[in-house]
Amino acid sequence: MKFICIGRNYAEHAKELGNEVPDEPVIFMKPNSAYHQPSNPFYYPEFTNELHYECEIVVRISKNGKLIEEVNASRYYDSISVGIDFTARDIQTELKKKGLPWEKAKAWDGSAVIGKWQPISKEVDMKNIVFSLNKNGAVVQQGNSKDMIHHIDKIIAHVSRFFSLNIGDVIFTGTPAGVGECVVGDELEAFLMDESMLTLLVK
Ligand code: ZN
């Protein structure tokens, strides 16, 4: 299983980190070992002093594929949830300055948290999905998939030009504005529409 993650997919978020809005999806990956189940204890990593949450819509690949056309892409995923793409922002800032890859900031053990999966029914409009993140009970991030620069089907078409997609792979579709720091003792709760999908205590 691999995690394919999209950076800068919401214009407001690109702006808040001082990045340009990209013409094509910005892609990075996390390995299988990055997976963290929210029911397990989550410990603040010792190598960072600036741990950021990024709440994102995630979809799960349900069919193997390569060179998938955008018009067919919706047949390749069947479940949706919200996830947290944890980022060591201090490390990422250093790496970005030097033009180096982001893995140490983004792909470490436990950095990919996924909520419970929900099957995608035919009635669901994938281009109008509301999601949000609370920190200690207050809303810190709110997004709607309609604001994605590159929609999920386009992401799948683009990604599968370079990487085979396999059953069980997960796509993190990018974070809206409002990313921020969390510290030991913070409780995060992510919602899809009005439903709580995950809670996580930072230990
Ligand atoms: Zn992200």
Side-chain angles (χ1 to χ4, degrees):
M1 187 234 283
K2 58 187 177 289
F3 299 93
I4 296 161
C5 310
I6 305 303
R8 305 172 194 169
N9 203 22
Y10 291 82
E12 289 302 314
H13 168 64
K15 264 191 239 165
E16 77 181 341
L17 292 185
N19 294 314
E20 281 173 25
V21 174
D23 298 334
E24 55 176 46
V26 172
I27 301 170
F28 61 94
M29 288 213 235
K30 300 184 189 233
N32 194 16
S33 50
Y35 178 55
H36 182 87
Q37 233 179 347
S39 55
N40 290 336
F42 179 88
Y43 296 101
Y44 194 105
E46 46 78 27
F47 47 77
T48 179
N49 291 308
E50 195 183 16
L51 178 68
H52 270 204
Y53 52 77
E54 295 190 357
C55 179
E56 313 193 0
I57 291 175
V58 291
V59 293
R60 189 168 61 187
I61 297 299
S62 54
K63 191 174 160 176
N64 295 335
K66 195 175 162 65
L67 297 170
I68 299 162
E69 290 195 53
E70 191 174 333
V71 287
N72 298 324
S74 63
R75 295 189 219 148
Y76 286 80
Y77 55 94
D78 67 353
S79 312
I80 184 168
S81 189
V82 284
I84 301 176
D85 163 22
F86 272 112
T87 304
R89 193 72 74 200
D90 47 356
I91 296 177
Q92 191 196 26
T93 303
E94 281 306 305
L95 294 171
K96 276 163 80 177
K97 259 190 232 160
K98 295 177 187 160
L100 293 171
W102 293 356
E103 276 81 354
K104 283 206 288 185
K106 286 277 198 184
W108 36 273
D109 287 1
S111 62
V113 180
I114 310 272
K116 61 182 177 189
W117 289 108
Q118 220 170 59
I120 298 171
S121 63
K122 288 217 161 53
E123 303 80 64
V124 171
D125 178 5
M126 290 299 288
K127 290 186 173 161
N128 190 19
I129 304 223
V130 176
F131 63 107
S132 62
L133 181 74
N134 285 4
K135 184 172 91 169
N136 304 326
V139 183
V140 286
Q141 283 195 285
Q142 255 176 334
N144 187 319
S145 61
K146 73 175 164 52
D147 298 320
M148 288 181 184
I149 297 166
H150 304 292
H151 191 257
I152 297 168
D153 293 356
K154 192 179 165 190
I155 292 169
I156 285 179
H158 184 76
V159 164
S160 71
R161 286 169 58 198
F162 302 88
F163 311 104
S164 304
L165 292 178
N166 298 116
I167 295 169
D169 288 349
V170 174
I171 300 187
F172 275 77
T173 59
T175 195
V179 299
E181 218 176 332
C182 48
V183 296
V184 174
D186 281 344
E187 189 180 66
L188 301 173
E189 184 171 17
F191 297 84
L192 192 65
M193 305 294 189
D194 289 329
E195 199 177 337
S196 175
M197 305 301 278
L198 72 87
T199 54
L200 188 87
L201 176 68
V202 181
K203 294 194 174 192

